[in-house]
Amino acid sequence: MQKNLYFAPPAKNEPVLTYKKGSPEREKIIKALEWSRSNVVDIPMIIDGKEVRTDNKIEMHPPHDHQHLLGYYHRGNETQVKDAIDAALNARKKWAGMSWEQRASIFLRAASMISGPYRARINAATMLAQSKSVHQAEIDAACEFADFLRFNVQYMTEIFNEQPDTGDLKWNRIEQRALEGFVFALTPFNFTAIAGNLPAAPAMMGNTVVWKPSNTQIYSARIIMEIFMEAGLPDGVINTVFVSGPVAGKVIFSHPDFAGIHFTGSTAVFQNIWKEIGNNISIYKSYPRVVGETGGKNFVLAHESANARQVATALTRGAFEFQGQKCSAASRAYIPDNLWDETLCEIKADMTSMQMGPVEDFSNFLNAVIDEASFDKLSGFIDRAKKDKEAKVIHGGNYDKSKGYFIEPTIILTKDPHYVTMEEELFGPVLTIYIYDHNKFEETVELVDNTSMYALTGSIFSKDRYVIEDVMKKLEYAAGNFYINDKPTGAVVNQQPFGGARGSGTNDKAGSKLNLLRWVSPRTIKECFLPPTSYKYPFMEE
Ligand code: NAD
């Protein structure tokens, strides 16, 4: 029984460790990598707090070394999805009724575990199974994940503190109720932090969850669940199922208690999900909350006043970190003809020193793409660009999947601003550049706005403040995260709330108050201290 009003510890961004030679964190991560490489793990689903194994075991391999066996996960089917829903619904009443500070404590403890004793393990798992460099794993699995949990506790208290106007004779209150039913968290492969946050955010607000991680992220998903359970998450609050997306969707979207989906992934998948939910709308007890952050075709627009070195760094970091597999990755660039030679020179200087290889070699800037399907898709687009008249591969263009799924960082130059790789999200280390006539800047801004269905991230590089202001106005809807003289990637929780509109999602900004508001249903309460005793109003008196 809650007796006091409590203040949660103020949230701070988790500092990013450097992993410099000789640093203690480097020693720890090397040991964790060695342990993970030499131990084959067996990963069950977790339903109602219990480990669920099937006779369908699927192998897991590092994308940069696909002959090495990391372990197995147990693949489920519709039965486990139904069991997970039942577990979530059974756990709901007790969990939703728990005082908020108890729920907060669980997730704050999880954040402390992530930034402390579990840091090396969760980073090593993310490095090995998702092929992230140590820096990319650190900013994701350790820092962003801990930030999501800590700031969400702060946002939750801010939401609870927002109360309506009230008066002497009455007390008006808003009670934030968990949704009536269960929430489905459907998560992508590319960020361990997103995978953890998508089930955690609705759970923190009192919901119970069925979580289906991406198959290629299950290796680190197991550690997320271990942390949550060790932190005290009760049985049935978050239940993991390892099934195909359509199998999960079939059972979940036809369940009357389906109360919401927290999705991050590709636009096509989200659009299908939305249609399925729409088709089933009459069977649900409530209108489900549909929250989805999806794909991007993110731009870098350089004005002739820009600094070529800064533009080059934004492109090489923005397009190639984590092999371009960030939803925010720069994948189309617009460079004026009178800045091109200098920019190209600077890009080449970066590219010649950029190394690619396994994550265990810390000198590598790039590692492998996630799986064979992605490798085949990317190599297909590169081959096409080599043949197409409108395109020219000016850097990279090689690929090799003999040991791991390695795609060389590739730059395509195109004469056609609507060339396929300027419009479609490829999700790999491929950047396409269009050189525009510097006298046609206005037209180019329009092109940036109209070229793609997405509106996730984008950057303008310019020294001219009039230009910056003008571009900001004209590209108002072209990006949910807009950058001035910076690369379009690397959003930090509580600093640049992240999400895009148009084809890029519902823009509910992961890691923000806005997002948490989607996981509650407010009840307005009015209490009258001196209830009226006559139906007559003063104007009716003689
Ligand atoms: P994906 O869409 O292939 O998969 C996402 C999840 O949906 C996975 O768990 C997958 O198994 C499941 N899924 C796939 N097909 C399904 C179906 N037919 N029905 C139901 N579920 C299905 O995405 P991905 O390859 O894991 O991640 C990359 C995508 O995610 C990119 O498009 C990227 O831009 C996007 N992304 C967006 C953000 C953002 O914040 N906007 C962040 C990260 C990733």
Side-chain angles (χ1 to χ4, degrees), residues 154 330 421:
Q154 183 179 302
T421 61

Side-chain angles (χ1 to χ4, degrees), residues 186-191 194 212-215 243-246 249 253 263-267 269 272-273 293-296 326-327 425 427 456 498-500 504:
L186 185 58
T187 61
F189 79 83
N190 65 337
F191 274 83
I194 295 177
K212 193 208 91 58
S214 163
N215 293 340
V243 296
S244 80
F253 300 135
F263 174 80
T264 296
S266 57
T267 299
V269 169
N272 272 330
I273 287 171
E293 298 306 330
T294 64
K326 298 187 182 190
C327 47
E425 184 188 47
F427 223 56
L456 191 51
F498 191 78
S504 291

Side-chain angles (χ1 to χ4, degrees), residues 300-304 311 315 331-345 347-348 390-394 411-419 421-422 431-441 443-445 447-448 451:
V300 170
L301 168 63
H303 180 253
E304 60 179 320
V311 173
L315 290 177
S331 60
R332 53 181 173 126
Y334 301 78
I335 314 288
D337 48 8
N338 54 357
L339 195 69
W340 173 237
D341 289 345
E342 201 187 339
T343 311
L344 180 63
C345 221
I347 291 175
K348 287 217 153 147
E390 315 90 305
K392 189 176 170 202
V393 174
I394 60 163
I411 301 181
I412 298 170
L413 204 61
T414 184
K415 293 182 199 137
D416 174 7
H418 293 288
Y419 183 65
T421 61
M422 289 295 279
L431 167 70
T432 309
I433 298 177
Y434 173 70
I435 300 168
Y436 68 89
D437 176 348
H438 68 281
N439 294 310
K440 293 194 173 158
F441 184 68
E443 292 90 324
T444 308
V445 174
L447 258 177
V448 171
T451 293

Side-chain angles (χ1 to χ4, degrees), residues 324-484:
Q325 297 171 120
K326 298 187 182 190
C327 47
S328 55
S331 60
R332 53 181 173 126
Y334 301 78
I335 314 288
D337 48 8
N338 54 357
L339 195 69
W340 173 237
D341 289 345
E342 201 187 339
T343 311
L344 180 63
C345 221
E346 299 288 357
I347 291 175
K348 287 217 153 147
D350 281 356
M351 302 295 284
T352 45
S353 63
M354 206 178 263
Q355 291 183 45
M356 179 172 69
V359 298
E360 290 89 340
D361 177 349
F362 286 18
S363 62
N364 289 322
F365 183 75
L366 280 103
N367 312 107
V369 298
I370 192 68
D371 58 16
E372 191 164 18
S374 168
F375 178 94
D376 291 346
K377 177 181 161 182
L378 291 160
S379 50
F381 276 106
I382 291 171
D383 285 348
R384 189 169 155 186
K386 284 177 184 166
K387 286 190 212 122
D388 281 344
K389 282 200 300 291
E390 315 90 305
K392 189 176 170 202
V393 174
I394 60 163
H395 186 93
N398 298 310
Y399 44 82
D400 180 358
K401 63 175 169 184
S402 52
K403 178 139 176 84
Y405 304 114
F406 290 107
I407 302 269
E408 221 179 359
T410 298
I411 301 181
I412 298 170
L413 204 61
T414 184
K415 293 182 199 137
D416 174 7
H418 293 288
Y419 183 65
V420 60
T421 61
M422 289 295 279
E423 295 197 336
E424 263 187 47
E425 184 188 47
L426 309 188
F427 223 56
V430 180
L431 167 70
T432 309
I433 298 177
Y434 173 70
I435 300 168
Y436 68 89
D437 176 348
H438 68 281
N439 294 310
K440 293 194 173 158
F441 184 68
E442 301 274 307
E443 292 90 324
T444 308
V445 174
E446 263 173 49
L447 258 177
V448 171
D449 197 28
N450 300 327
T451 293
S452 123
M453 67 182 286
Y454 300 106
L456 191 51
T457 74
S459 309
I460 168 71
F461 275 80
S462 174
K463 285 188 205 120
D464 185 326
R465 209 68 226 184
Y466 288 116
V467 167
I468 292 170
E469 188 178 21
D470 193 43
V471 168
M472 277 186 72
K473 283 181 190 152
K474 291 194 170 121
L475 296 184
E476 183 182 357
Y477 288 98
N481 283 55
F482 189 83
Y483 293 81
I484 302 165

Side-chain angles (χ1 to χ4, degrees), residues 89-111:
L89 291 173
N90 286 337
R92 193 193 162 277
K93 196 167 173 216
K94 236 173 142 182
W95 178 248
M98 185 188 259
S99 309
W100 70 265
E101 75 275 8
Q102 304 293 346
R103 295 199 306 262
S105 287
I106 293 170
F107 290 107
L108 289 173
R109 180 161 144 74

Side-chain angles (χ1 to χ4, degrees), residues 22 26 107 139 205 218 274 351 354 470 481 495 499 519:
R26 183 140 162 163
F107 290 107
I139 58 176
M205 300 307 282
I218 288 176
W274 196 300
M351 302 295 284
M354 206 178 263
D470 193 43
N481 283 55
Q495 296 189 33
W519 309 118

